[in-house]
Amino acid sequence: MTVSPSDAPRPDIDRLVELVATVESTQRAEDADGFLALFHDDAVWVTGGGVRLVGKEAIAAFTRSVLPGAMVGVTVDYVVDHVRFLTPDVALTGVDQEYRPQDGSPSSRGLPSYVWVRETDGRWLLAVGQNTAVPT
C-alpha cells in the first residue's frame, strides 16, 4: 500500500483501512444499514453500472434494492492499494476489489475510489465513491 504524504498519521491510515474493510464486510453480509452508516448525508456514489446517486437517501434506496441477494454464490475481497490525504481531514482510498463466484467461473475486478471526510466529532464518513469495473 502506498501512502501520500509519506508522513501521514498512522492512526488515520489504519482507521481508513478499517472503514474499507467495513465496506467489504457489510457487502458480504448484505447489511444495507451497516453499509449506509458509512456515508455522509450529502454523499455522491457512482455505481459500477455508471449510475450517479446524489445524497444518502438516493444511495439508500439503490442499496436496499440491489444488495439483498447480491452476494449469493459470490464472495468479494477489498484491498486498500493507496491512501492519499488531500487535507488532514479529507482522504482518498484507492481499492482493489475482486468478486469471486463460488461456481468457479472467472473473477471480476473493480477499482473503487472512496473520498472520506473527517467530521468534527472525529468520525470518517464516505463523501464520494466511484465504483469502476475493470474490463476483462
Side-chain angles (χ1 to χ4, degrees):
M1 173 176 64
T2 60
V3 176
S4 177
S6 59
D7 64 347
R10 190 77 225 176
D12 288 335
I13 297 164
D14 292 344
R15 182 63 185 142
L16 292 165
V17 170
E18 288 172 7
L19 288 167
V20 171
T22 301
V23 173
E24 174 190 78
S25 67
T26 56
Q27 183 176 358
R28 283 182 172 185
E30 298 182 0
D31 176 6
D33 291 333
F35 178 72
L36 294 167
L38 299 168
F39 284 85
H40 190 279
D41 287 341
D42 296 326
V44 176
W45 182 261
V46 180
T47 70
V51 177
R52 180 178 294 117
L53 306 167
V54 179
K56 192 171 181 177
E57 188 174 308
I59 296 165
F62 175 82
T63 299
R64 289 193 172 106
S65 73
V66 300
L67 190 54
M71 298 306 296
V72 173
V74 176
T75 190
V76 66
D77 292 311
Y78 287 68
V79 176
V80 177
D81 181 57
H82 183 73
V83 178
R84 166 76 166 103
F85 287 87
L86 305 171
T87 74
D89 297 320
V90 178
L92 173 122
T93 52
V95 178
D96 286 335
Q97 175 190 69
E98 183 179 10
Y99 289 91
R100 290 186 320 282
Q102 294 168 347
D103 66 5
S105 57
S107 296
S108 61
R109 291 188 54 233
L111 293 172
S113 295
Y114 305 136
V115 176
W116 303 86
V117 294
R118 188 189 338 243
E119 297 292 287
T120 56
D121 63 4
R123 292 178 305 141
W124 287 94
L125 294 176
L126 190 48
V128 179
Q130 170 75 40
N131 195 5
T132 304
V134 174
T136 55

mmCIF file of all heavy atoms in Angstrom, residues 36-44 53-59 117 119 123 125-127:
data_model
loop_
_atom_site.group_PDB
_atom_site.id
_atom_site.type_symbol
_atom_site.label_atom_id
_atom_site.label_comp_id
_atom_site.label_asym_id
_atom_site.label_seq_id
_atom_site.Cartn_x
_atom_site.Cartn_y
_atom_site.Cartn_z
ATOM 1 N N LEU A 36 -24.766 1.740 4.810
ATOM 2 C CA LEU A 36 -25.238 3.126 4.729
ATOM 3 C C LEU A 36 -24.751 3.979 5.893
ATOM 4 O O LEU A 36 -24.608 5.197 5.747
ATOM 5 C CB LEU A 36 -26.759 3.146 4.635
ATOM 6 C CG LEU A 36 -27.301 2.544 3.343
ATOM 7 C CD1 LEU A 36 -28.805 2.298 3.447
ATOM 8 C CD2 LEU A 36 -26.969 3.426 2.150
ATOM 9 N N ALA A 37 -24.444 3.360 7.025
ATOM 10 C CA ALA A 37 -23.937 4.108 8.181
ATOM 11 C C ALA A 37 -22.574 4.731 7.896
ATOM 12 O O ALA A 37 -22.156 5.657 8.595
ATOM 13 C CB ALA A 37 -23.852 3.188 9.396
ATOM 14 N N LEU A 38 -21.896 4.272 6.854
ATOM 15 C CA LEU A 38 -20.579 4.800 6.496
ATOM 16 C C LEU A 38 -20.650 6.128 5.745
ATOM 17 O O LEU A 38 -19.636 6.802 5.590
ATOM 18 C CB LEU A 38 -19.834 3.777 5.629
ATOM 19 C CG LEU A 38 -19.562 2.427 6.271
ATOM 20 C CD1 LEU A 38 -19.091 1.432 5.224
ATOM 21 C CD2 LEU A 38 -18.537 2.571 7.387
ATOM 22 N N PHE A 39 -21.836 6.499 5.260
ATOM 23 C CA PHE A 39 -21.977 7.627 4.339
ATOM 24 C C PHE A 39 -22.325 8.944 5.018
ATOM 25 O O PHE A 39 -23.116 8.989 5.953
ATOM 26 C CB PHE A 39 -23.073 7.329 3.308
ATOM 27 C CG PHE A 39 -22.650 6.363 2.246
ATOM 28 C CD1 PHE A 39 -22.740 5.008 2.455
ATOM 29 C CD2 PHE A 39 -22.154 6.823 1.036
ATOM 30 C CE1 PHE A 39 -22.350 4.107 1.485
ATOM 31 C CE2 PHE A 39 -21.753 5.931 0.060
ATOM 32 C CZ PHE A 39 -21.856 4.571 0.282
ATOM 33 N N HIS A 40 -21.766 10.002 4.459
ATOM 34 C CA HIS A 40 -22.156 11.368 4.797
ATOM 35 C C HIS A 40 -23.533 11.617 4.189
ATOM 36 O O HIS A 40 -23.873 11.043 3.150
ATOM 37 C CB HIS A 40 -21.120 12.340 4.203
ATOM 38 C CG HIS A 40 -21.272 13.729 4.680
ATOM 39 N ND1 HIS A 40 -22.192 14.604 4.155
ATOM 40 C CD2 HIS A 40 -20.614 14.396 5.655
ATOM 41 C CE1 HIS A 40 -22.097 15.761 4.784
ATOM 42 N NE2 HIS A 40 -21.146 15.664 5.700
ATOM 43 N N ASP A 41 -24.334 12.456 4.819
ATOM 44 C CA ASP A 41 -25.685 12.735 4.309
ATOM 45 C C ASP A 41 -25.681 13.278 2.883
ATOM 46 O O ASP A 41 -26.602 13.023 2.114
ATOM 47 C CB ASP A 41 -26.425 13.732 5.213
ATOM 48 C CG ASP A 41 -26.856 13.097 6.527
ATOM 49 O OD1 ASP A 41 -26.922 11.844 6.613
ATOM 50 O OD2 ASP A 41 -27.130 13.858 7.478
ATOM 51 N N ASP A 42 -24.655 14.039 2.523
ATOM 52 C CA ASP A 42 -24.575 14.653 1.194
ATOM 53 C C ASP A 42 -23.664 13.877 0.242
ATOM 54 O O ASP A 42 -23.158 14.437 -0.734
ATOM 55 C CB ASP A 42 -24.069 16.095 1.311
ATOM 56 C CG ASP A 42 -25.024 16.979 2.082
ATOM 57 O OD1 ASP A 42 -26.246 16.759 1.978
ATOM 58 O OD2 ASP A 42 -24.556 17.876 2.808
ATOM 59 N N ALA A 43 -23.438 12.608 0.516
ATOM 60 C CA ALA A 43 -22.508 11.813 -0.287
ATOM 61 C C ALA A 43 -22.969 11.677 -1.734
ATOM 62 O O ALA A 43 -24.156 11.809 -2.045
ATOM 63 C CB ALA A 43 -22.360 10.419 0.332
ATOM 64 N N VAL A 44 -22.000 11.410 -2.589
ATOM 65 C CA VAL A 44 -22.250 11.101 -4.002
ATOM 66 C C VAL A 44 -21.621 9.739 -4.262
ATOM 67 O O VAL A 44 -20.475 9.497 -3.880
ATOM 68 C CB VAL A 44 -21.628 12.166 -4.935
ATOM 69 C CG1 VAL A 44 -21.804 11.773 -6.397
ATOM 70 C CG2 VAL A 44 -22.228 13.540 -4.651
ATOM 71 N N LEU A 53 -25.583 8.597 -7.928
ATOM 72 C CA LEU A 53 -26.570 8.778 -6.871
ATOM 73 C C LEU A 53 -26.111 9.928 -5.990
ATOM 74 O O LEU A 53 -24.973 9.930 -5.509
ATOM 75 C CB LEU A 53 -26.686 7.498 -6.047
ATOM 76 C CG LEU A 53 -26.985 6.231 -6.857
ATOM 77 C CD1 LEU A 53 -26.770 4.993 -6.000
ATOM 78 C CD2 LEU A 53 -28.398 6.284 -7.401
ATOM 79 N N VAL A 54 -26.981 10.909 -5.788
ATOM 80 C CA VAL A 54 -26.615 12.095 -5.015
ATOM 81 C C VAL A 54 -27.448 12.123 -3.737
ATOM 82 O O VAL A 54 -28.683 12.136 -3.782
ATOM 83 C CB VAL A 54 -26.842 13.382 -5.833
ATOM 84 C CG1 VAL A 54 -26.487 14.613 -5.003
ATOM 85 C CG2 VAL A 54 -26.012 13.342 -7.115
ATOM 86 N N GLY A 55 -26.757 12.116 -2.605
ATOM 87 C CA GLY A 55 -27.409 12.157 -1.304
ATOM 88 C C GLY A 55 -27.625 10.769 -0.734
ATOM 89 O O GLY A 55 -27.831 9.795 -1.453
ATOM 90 N N LYS A 56 -27.566 10.704 0.586
ATOM 91 C CA LYS A 56 -27.679 9.423 1.271
ATOM 92 C C LYS A 56 -29.031 8.761 1.018
ATOM 93 O O LYS A 56 -29.122 7.536 0.936
ATOM 94 C CB LYS A 56 -27.452 9.619 2.774
ATOM 95 C CG LYS A 56 -27.261 8.345 3.532
ATOM 96 C CD LYS A 56 -26.834 8.651 4.955
ATOM 97 C CE LYS A 56 -26.599 7.401 5.760
ATOM 98 N NZ LYS A 56 -26.124 7.733 7.111
ATOM 99 N N GLU A 57 -30.065 9.545 0.855
ATOM 100 C CA GLU A 57 -31.391 8.971 0.593
ATOM 101 C C GLU A 57 -31.416 8.206 -0.728
ATOM 102 O O GLU A 57 -31.936 7.085 -0.798
ATOM 103 C CB GLU A 57 -32.447 10.093 0.581
ATOM 104 C CG GLU A 57 -33.860 9.589 0.516
ATOM 105 C CD GLU A 57 -34.865 10.729 0.643
ATOM 106 O OE1 GLU A 57 -34.748 11.516 1.608
ATOM 107 O OE2 GLU A 57 -35.756 10.806 -0.228
ATOM 108 N N ALA A 58 -30.834 8.773 -1.770
ATOM 109 C CA ALA A 58 -30.781 8.089 -3.069
ATOM 110 C C ALA A 58 -29.870 6.863 -2.995
ATOM 111 O O ALA A 58 -30.184 5.806 -3.560
ATOM 112 C CB ALA A 58 -30.292 9.043 -4.157
ATOM 113 N N ILE A 59 -28.762 6.987 -2.282
ATOM 114 C CA ILE A 59 -27.851 5.861 -2.114
ATOM 115 C C ILE A 59 -28.552 4.737 -1.346
ATOM 116 O O ILE A 59 -28.434 3.559 -1.697
ATOM 117 C CB ILE A 59 -26.552 6.305 -1.411
ATOM 118 C CG1 ILE A 59 -25.797 7.311 -2.283
ATOM 119 C CG2 ILE A 59 -25.664 5.108 -1.062
ATOM 120 C CD1 ILE A 59 -24.714 8.087 -1.558
ATOM 121 N N VAL A 117 -14.312 12.054 4.556
ATOM 122 C CA VAL A 117 -14.159 13.330 5.265
ATOM 123 C C VAL A 117 -14.273 13.067 6.763
ATOM 124 O O VAL A 117 -15.078 12.254 7.203
ATOM 125 C CB VAL A 117 -15.198 14.384 4.821
ATOM 126 C CG1 VAL A 117 -14.980 14.791 3.373
ATOM 127 C CG2 VAL A 117 -16.616 13.911 5.032
ATOM 128 N N GLU A 119 -15.409 14.224 10.263
ATOM 129 C CA GLU A 119 -16.384 15.100 10.904
ATOM 130 C C GLU A 119 -15.756 15.752 12.136
ATOM 131 O O GLU A 119 -14.703 15.328 12.609
ATOM 132 C CB GLU A 119 -17.620 14.289 11.328
ATOM 133 C CG GLU A 119 -18.368 13.681 10.160
ATOM 134 C CD GLU A 119 -19.034 14.734 9.298
ATOM 135 O OE1 GLU A 119 -20.045 15.308 9.744
ATOM 136 O OE2 GLU A 119 -18.534 14.974 8.183
ATOM 137 N N ARG A 123 -15.182 11.222 13.481
ATOM 138 C CA ARG A 123 -15.568 10.109 12.605
ATOM 139 C C ARG A 123 -15.220 10.421 11.158
ATOM 140 O O ARG A 123 -15.396 11.545 10.704
ATOM 141 C CB ARG A 123 -17.086 9.856 12.654
ATOM 142 C CG ARG A 123 -17.617 9.333 13.932
ATOM 143 C CD ARG A 123 -19.135 9.169 13.875
ATOM 144 N NE ARG A 123 -19.762 10.434 13.490
ATOM 145 C CZ ARG A 123 -20.808 10.558 12.681
ATOM 146 N NH1 ARG A 123 -21.394 9.501 12.172
ATOM 147 N NH2 ARG A 123 -21.303 11.744 12.386
ATOM 148 N N LEU A 125 -16.365 9.739 7.369
ATOM 149 C CA LEU A 125 -17.545 9.325 6.611
ATOM 150 C C LEU A 125 -17.235 9.344 5.124
ATOM 151 O O LEU A 125 -16.453 10.175 4.647
ATOM 152 C CB LEU A 125 -18.738 10.226 6.911
ATOM 153 C CG LEU A 125 -19.295 10.158 8.331
ATOM 154 C CD1 LEU A 125 -20.414 11.190 8.508
ATOM 155 C CD2 LEU A 125 -19.793 8.758 8.663
ATOM 156 N N LEU A 126 -17.880 8.463 4.416
ATOM 157 C CA LEU A 126 -17.716 8.366 2.969
ATOM 158 C C LEU A 126 -18.485 9.503 2.305
ATOM 159 O O LEU A 126 -19.698 9.608 2.450
ATOM 160 C CB LEU A 126 -18.237 7.010 2.509
ATOM 161 C CG LEU A 126 -17.992 6.544 1.101
ATOM 162 C CD1 LEU A 126 -16.547 6.707 0.683
ATOM 163 C CD2 LEU A 126 -18.406 5.099 0.963
ATOM 164 N N ALA A 127 -17.761 10.370 1.605
ATOM 165 C CA ALA A 127 -18.372 11.525 0.947
ATOM 166 C C ALA A 127 -18.566 11.302 -0.543
ATOM 167 O O ALA A 127 -19.530 11.807 -1.126
ATOM 168 C CB ALA A 127 -17.511 12.773 1.178
#
